Amino acid sequence: MSLGTEGPQVVASPTFFPAPAVPRSAPVGTAARPLPLIIDSDPGLDDALAIGLAIARPELELLAVTTVGGNADVRHCTENALRLLHAFGRADVPVAEGAEGPLTGAVVRATAIHGEGGIGRSVLPPSPASPRPEGAVALIARILRETTEPVVIAPIGPLTNIALLLRLHPGLAERIAHLSIMGGSIGEGNVTISAEFNIYADPEAADIVFRSGIPITMMGLDVTHQATLDAAAAARLRATGTASGAIATELVEFALDRVGQWYGGTTTAIHDAVAVAHLAIDDLVGVARYNVRVDATDGLGRGRTVCEGLARRMQRHGLEPNADVGIRVERERFEDVLVDAFGRLP
Ligand code: BDR
Ligand code: CA
């Protein structure tokens, strides 16, 4: 059976009362003053493209990649991070392994999409580098302490490591300039009708993070499902002629195969790259201010990001906005950004 290609289409609107677009609050790097960035990730097909993008963009200075169990077991994610960085010419970027599973509750994986090892069928050469023995949370804490300016973190997997960091080192929250998170949804989820994968995989951690008071941008499914690539885009990535472009092509083609088999889909959302692209390009993603709370109860809404954007209701319930939430992205430009990035990599 193929869903989505036959019969009447339902176009879901994320909200009856869309919050108005506003100027972004996330910092943006420049080539002259690149943003110091840590990526916390569970690579992951789209994570891989996000990491490549971060390396390629001169507006970003990638300080570390920390890993978390999510799309695959954390040992696979760590190995993938090492190999991807090596393939993309940056084996010098430190990698440290973090949490295998959530703060509480069952471990959730997305191997049905990303493959058992997390990066489809791709087999990348081993990196000469090894993971840092201190582990993800200690590495992030050390970087936050030692970096002269506040650091931006892009959590593009479950939020377990970031919650642990905040619990273990609450004083370091002020050293985090911004969290550009891929996760959540104003509207529909992708694991359940309520919940997006990264939040569903550890709602308690997400709750801690969204309550932290740290400036947050949430790139949820409402915007990342606009950031899609298709077979023609995969061909453009291959046509860059770089080895990194060939890797990106393989990953995108694997994802396209999966969505094709599942529901006859012909495009795949490169969710995680949106959270990274926003930090390098000022006007690619449009955002609105929302109050975001996480449903960490055990009911049907577990893992839902409850996004309130209506000023009148916020006032009535004493809520303040706590996040920029991505609402739109120019798809063609997003594709160009990725093709350009993978053309710059080795
Ligand atoms: C998110 O879940 C993962 O499968 C992807 O890597 C992305 O971070 C999308 O829901
Ligand atoms: Ca991810």
Side-chain angles (χ1 to χ4, degrees):
M1 183 178 71
S2 89
L3 301 173
T5 54
E6 300 145 11
Q9 301 286 303
V10 176
V11 180
S13 164
T15 171
F16 295 119
F17 304 110
V22 295
R24 58 184 289 151
S25 57
V28 63
T30 62
R33 195 144 181 241
L35 269 189
L37 171 68
I38 297 171
I39 293 184
D40 186 64
S41 166
D42 58 341
L45 305 169
D46 55 332
D47 301 73
L49 271 76
I51 291 169
L53 179 63
I55 293 172
R57 294 298 303 202
E59 301 90 346
L60 302 175
E61 184 194 356
L62 185 59
L63 302 179
V65 175
T66 51
T67 62
V68 60
N71 288 324
D73 290 351
V74 73
R75 66 196 162 89
H76 289 308
C77 296
T78 305
E79 191 56 35
N80 294 343
L82 288 165
R83 291 183 185 217
L84 287 162
L85 286 166
H86 177 47
F88 299 158
R90 291 297 309 274
D92 60 301
V93 172
V95 171
E97 187 165 291
E100 165 71 353
L103 297 183
T104 179
V107 168
V108 185
R109 297 284 180 249
T111 46
I113 299 166
H114 298 262
E116 209 45 50
I119 50 168
R121 273 184 292 273
S122 297
V123 182
L124 303 177
S127 169
S130 306
R132 300 293 160 111
E134 61 201 306
V137 174
L139 176 65
I140 298 173
R142 183 163 62 78
I143 291 173
L144 292 177
R145 272 192 212 100
E146 290 176 358
T147 310
T148 47
E149 53 183 310
V151 171
V152 174
I153 304 179
I156 55 176
L159 286 159
T160 321
N161 290 339
I162 309 304
L164 289 170
L165 174 82
L166 296 176
R167 281 287 153 94
L168 287 168
H169 309 280
L172 289 176
E174 67 186 36
R175 303 288 306 154
I176 302 173
H178 204 89
L179 294 170
S180 186
I181 295 172
M182 191 285 129
S185 179
I186 303 168
E188 193 175 330
N190 57 1
V191 179
T192 70
I193 185 69
S194 304
E196 179 281 331
F197 176 78
N198 288 340
I199 308 297
Y200 186 76
D202 196 343
E204 280 74 15
D207 185 39
I208 291 170
V209 171
F210 276 91
R211 286 175 192 273
S212 68
I214 298 169
I216 287 176
T217 297
M218 176 184 120
M219 295 303 181
L221 299 177
D222 325 279
V223 69
T224 66
H225 271 295
Q226 301 169 39
T228 55
L229 298 184
D230 60 8
R236 286 185 70 198
L237 284 165
R238 191 178 296 288
T240 57
T242 66
S244 301
I247 293 168
T249 310
E250 251 186 37
L251 300 174
V252 170
E253 286 179 346
F254 183 87
L256 288 171
D257 269 1
R258 287 284 154 114
V259 297
Q261 284 166 26
W262 279 17
Y263 56 90
T266 55
T267 62
T268 181
I270 312 297
H271 309 275
D272 293 337
V274 181
V276 169
H278 188 55
L279 301 170
I281 304 164
D282 192 22
D283 59 350
L284 182 67
V285 183
V287 298
R289 293 291 291 166
Y290 276 85
N291 173 273
V292 180
R293 286 169 293 171
V294 177
D295 186 339
T297 65
D298 277 332
L300 289 173
R302 182 165 173 79
R304 178 176 175 210
T305 46
V306 180
C307 299
E308 176 60 275
L310 189 64
R312 188 161 39 80
R313 268 191 322 229
M314 273 198 253
Q315 210 174 7
R316 182 192 293 169
H317 299 289
L319 299 172
E320 293 289 335
N322 64 347
D324 281 8
V325 175
I327 50 173
R328 70 171 100 85
V329 59
E330 290 171 51
R331 200 212 64 78
E332 291 81 9
R333 200 167 151 216
F334 176 75
E335 177 180 320
D336 290 348
V337 164
L338 287 175
V339 171
D340 169 73
F342 279 87
R344 292 188 205 188
L345 293 174

